[in-house]
């Protein structure tokens, strides 16, 4: 069990920082903590940090005044614990969208039909030696054979037009969606306590150690642990599928998860995970961020080493 006898001084905090730089909590340790729920989470907090105040001390923040807002400190937290940004998946190129459009079953059938039609139009059977045969295969048949390729070409041209229009529409929609998402992220604000003052900051500027104020109607932008609550009820259906609202209290279930909605009450929480390390970020990563999937596997191995460590 870790020694949590912090005296509050900067010197004391630095001397106890054993994990990463000046903070005595690692990303893996905090991620492991946020996977726990209810009594199990409370037991882990008591075992490793004594209480939420001990956790705040380990994160070098004040449960009352929050962070001091020093730019250097904020940047260090972003560097060690990550930014509160979930990188979007790489946008598909126009050629990739064209390829996807070509996978439609109806278009595949039309493509096959067009190829067969073109092949038959260029196929000429052996000439008939009899006079009667030559009369039947006269000038009219020769003209029809020369124009036979038009039908296949028309089908292929139709397929090309449909594919290009579909791909362009998908590309345009994706571009508009990303533009809208970017604007929403830049405009979305959240209340945090810094330097003893309640201020509104962009969601992307929230860092581990921030004291965030939550109230009815909020969508939680990061994971955290409740340090003060007033009849707080959370809708966790987006993560767990449970339709019932979950009551959050400091002494029973203080775990606050990103992506969930505050349905009743208010409170304050200390932010413990942001961005790809939050519960929402982990889910997004598992759902298909290719480059991040490899990093996730490495993180899982590191988490096993941290599982029984609290110091």
């Amino acid at each position: 069990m870790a020694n949590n006898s912090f005296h509050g001084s900067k010197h004391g905090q630095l001397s106890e920082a054993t994990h990463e730089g000046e903070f005595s909590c690692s990303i893996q340790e905090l991620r492991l903590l946020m996977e726990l729920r209810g009594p199990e989470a409370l037991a882990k907090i008591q075992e490793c940090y004594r209480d939420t105040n001990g956790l705040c001390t380990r994160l070098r923040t004040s449960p009352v005044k929050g962070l001091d807002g020093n730019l250097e400190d904020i940047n260090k937290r972003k560097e060690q614990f990550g930014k509160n940004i979930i990188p979007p998946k790489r946008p598909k190129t126009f050629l990739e969208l064209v390829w996807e459009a070509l996978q439609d079953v109806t278009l595949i059938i039309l493509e096959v039909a067009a190829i067969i039609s073109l092949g038959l139009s260029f196929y000429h059977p052996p000439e008939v030696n009899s006079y009667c045969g030559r009369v039947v295969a006269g000038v009219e048949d020769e003209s029809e054979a020369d124009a036979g390729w038009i039908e296949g070409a028309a089908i292929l041209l139709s397929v090309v037009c449909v594919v290009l229009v579909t791909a362009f529409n998908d590309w345009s929609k994706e571009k508009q969606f990303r533009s809208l998402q970017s604007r929403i992220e830049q405009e979305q604000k959240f209340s945090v306590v810094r330097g003893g003052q309640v201020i509104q900051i962009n969601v992307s500027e929230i860092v581990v150690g921030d004291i965030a104020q939550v109230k009815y109607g909020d969508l939680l932008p990061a994971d955290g642990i409740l340090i003060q609550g007033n009849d707080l009820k959370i809708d966790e259906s987006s993560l767990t599928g449970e339709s019932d609202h979950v009551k959050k209290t400091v002494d029973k279930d203080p775990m606050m998860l990103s992506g969930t909605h505050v349905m009743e009450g208010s409170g304050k929480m200390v932010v413990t995970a942001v961005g790809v390390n939050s519960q929402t970020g982990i889910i997004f990563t598992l759902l298909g961020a290719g480059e991040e999937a490899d990093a996730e596997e490495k993180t899982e191995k590191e988490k096993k080493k941290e599982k029984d460590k609290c110091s």
Side-chain angles (χ1 to χ4, degrees):
M1 178 173 170
N3 181 12
N4 291 315
S5 59
F6 285 77
H7 301 292
S9 67
K10 186 175 181 181
H11 175 74
Q13 293 165 346
L14 291 176
S15 64
E16 293 290 339
T18 58
H19 276 304
E20 298 183 7
E22 298 180 355
F23 304 99
S24 51
C25 287
S26 68
I27 295 177
Q28 290 76 27
E29 182 181 330
L30 293 173
R31 282 183 57 163
L32 182 64
L33 175 64
M34 294 311 300
E35 290 178 358
L36 304 177
R37 302 289 181 270
E40 191 178 3
L42 286 172
K44 190 70 174 179
I45 292 172
Q46 292 174 358
E47 177 187 354
C48 296
Y49 312 107
R50 194 172 57 226
D51 53 23
T52 52
N53 288 333
L55 175 60
C56 289
T57 304
R58 296 275 293 275
L59 291 174
R60 298 185 59 227
T61 186
S62 166
V64 177
K65 295 184 178 181
L67 302 177
D68 58 13
N70 180 273
L71 185 59
E72 184 180 355
D73 179 53
I74 298 298
N75 290 334
K76 281 183 179 179
R77 292 175 187 273
K78 289 181 179 180
E79 182 179 347
Q80 292 202 14
F81 299 107
K83 298 179 181 180
N84 196 28
I85 297 174
I86 300 175
K89 294 176 65 176
R90 180 184 65 83
K92 295 178 181 177
T93 64
F94 185 76
L95 289 178
E96 288 175 329
L97 294 173
V98 168
W99 176 251
E100 284 189 359
L102 284 170
Q103 308 307 307
D104 183 81
V105 176
T106 303
L107 293 181
I108 291 175
I109 294 174
L110 289 175
E111 291 164 13
V112 173
I115 292 172
I116 294 174
S117 178
L118 283 173
L120 292 176
S121 69
F122 292 112
Y123 173 72
H124 299 288
E127 293 185 0
V128 181
N129 293 327
S130 66
Y131 175 76
C132 181
R134 286 197 296 270
V135 172
V136 174
V139 177
E140 184 178 348
D141 286 348
E142 289 179 2
S143 62
E144 288 181 2
D146 292 340
W149 61 271
I150 296 178
E151 183 178 347
I155 297 175
L156 276 182
L157 182 61
S158 301
V159 170
V160 169
C161 290
V162 171
V163 167
L164 289 178
V165 170
T166 302
F168 178 78
N169 286 338
D170 291 342
W171 178 79
S172 179
K173 289 176 183 177
E174 185 171 352
K175 185 178 179 182
Q176 291 176 1
F177 174 76
R178 288 182 179 276
S179 176
L180 177 62
Q181 188 179 32
S182 176
R183 190 166 72 248
I184 291 174
E185 288 176 354
Q186 291 175 0
E187 294 176 356
Q188 190 178 2
K189 304 279 188 179
F190 207 82
S191 299
V192 298
V193 180
R194 287 189 179 176
Q197 301 292 325
V198 179
I199 61 174
Q200 294 272 331
I201 63 173
N202 289 334
V203 167
S204 59
E205 292 299 315
I206 294 176
V207 296
V208 170
D210 262 324
I211 304 300
Q213 289 197 329
V214 298
K215 61 185 183 302
Y216 167 73
D218 283 344
L219 173 66
L220 299 186
D223 292 351
I225 295 178
L226 189 68
I227 57 178
Q228 179 185 332
N230 180 28
D231 295 329
L232 195 62
K233 290 186 178 180
I234 305 293
D235 177 9
E236 295 185 349
S237 59
S238 58
L239 293 180
T240 64
E242 294 291 338
S243 58
D244 293 338
H245 298 165
V246 180
K247 187 173 183 178
K248 297 291 181 178
T249 58
V250 176
D251 57 349
K252 289 186 178 180
D253 185 6
M255 313 308 283
M256 309 283 282
L257 307 177
S258 60
T260 59
H261 288 84
V262 181
M263 304 306 294
E264 293 182 26
S266 60
K268 291 198 302 184
M269 71 174 188
V270 55
V271 176
T272 55
V274 296
V276 295
N277 296 304
S278 66
Q279 295 302 301
T280 299
I282 293 171
I283 291 174
F284 270 94
T285 300
L286 294 175
L287 286 178
E291 294 180 359
E292 292 168 13
D294 296 335
E296 180 75 11
E297 292 178 4
K298 294 178 181 178
T299 303
E300 290 297 328
K301 293 178 181 178
E302 293 178 1
K303 282 170 62 178
K304 291 179 181 178
K305 297 179 181 178
E306 295 284 343
K307 196 166 185 178
D308 298 322
K309 295 181 181 179
C310 300
S311 58

